[in-house]
Amino acid sequence: MQKECKCGQTMNICLRSVIYQGKVEIAHVPVLTCESCSRSEVFAAVKPDMTKLISQLGNKPEKQYIRFEEISEISHLMVTVTDKEHRHESVGVILEERINELLDMLLLARSLQDDAWKRDVTERLSQITRYAMSTYEMKL
Ligand SMILES: [Zn+2]
């Protein structure tokens, strides 16, 4: 999960709060930062979720606090990974556990014929799949 900065140094990924329009605090956003030149950017894999959130908030948002992990599965996974209780587990194990959890939820949503919930779980699963693929690519 590392990327090279324009200055040549390695950028590190961390969870940051992002303030939107001076009013909305979006917590736990995965951000890449460079210690050497202080450049930072939103982690590419969460950009679609961030764009969607910003468009929902609009130009004149109310003052509010949003937990990005409730919207983005990648943020959720990173919060889990950095959580003390899960420190000893590898990202792969956490990823697998979360996928199993979501598949159980999907089964439940299907049996209850809850379409909104089904769509939500399916969207979360596709976020994870995209993320799993992007981390795999980065290892090459
Ligand atoms: Zn840099």
Side-chain angles (χ1 to χ4, degrees), residues 1 13-18 26-31 42-50 53 65-83 91 94-95 98 124 127-128 130-132:
M1 287 211 288
I13 194 156
C14 59
L15 293 166
R16 282 269 179 90
S17 280
V18 172
I26 309 165
H28 301 138
V29 179
V31 172
V42 172
F43 186 45
V46 301
K47 273 183 190 160
D49 302 327
M50 187 49 100
L53 176 64
Y65 178 82
I66 294 170
R67 290 169 197 276
F68 197 56
E69 71 266 35
E70 286 171 6
I71 297 158
S72 161
E73 272 304 311
I74 295 154
S75 167
H76 181 102
L77 283 169
M78 284 188 60
V79 170
T80 311
V81 172
T82 48
D83 183 20
V91 179
I94 291 164
L95 212 62
R98 182 61 179 162
R124 284 169 189 277
Q127 282 184 24
I128 286 199
R130 281 199 301 266
Y131 173 70

Side-chain angles (χ1 to χ4, degrees), residues 9-38:
Q9 291 295 313
T10 305
M11 296 181 96
N12 292 311
I13 194 156
C14 59
L15 293 166
R16 282 269 179 90
S17 280
V18 172
I19 310 292
Y20 175 62
Q21 298 277 17
K23 289 213 171 145
V24 185
E25 181 177 355
I26 309 165
H28 301 138
V29 179
V31 172
L32 287 163
T33 56
C34 173
E35 279 176 28
S36 147
C37 71
S38 323

Side-chain angles (χ1 to χ4, degrees), residues 105-119:
M105 275 160 74
L106 190 61
L107 274 177
L108 200 62
R110 272 195 190 137
S111 63
L112 294 170
Q113 297 183 324
D114 187 333
D115 284 337
W117 191 16
K118 224 161 71 181
R119 268 198 304 276

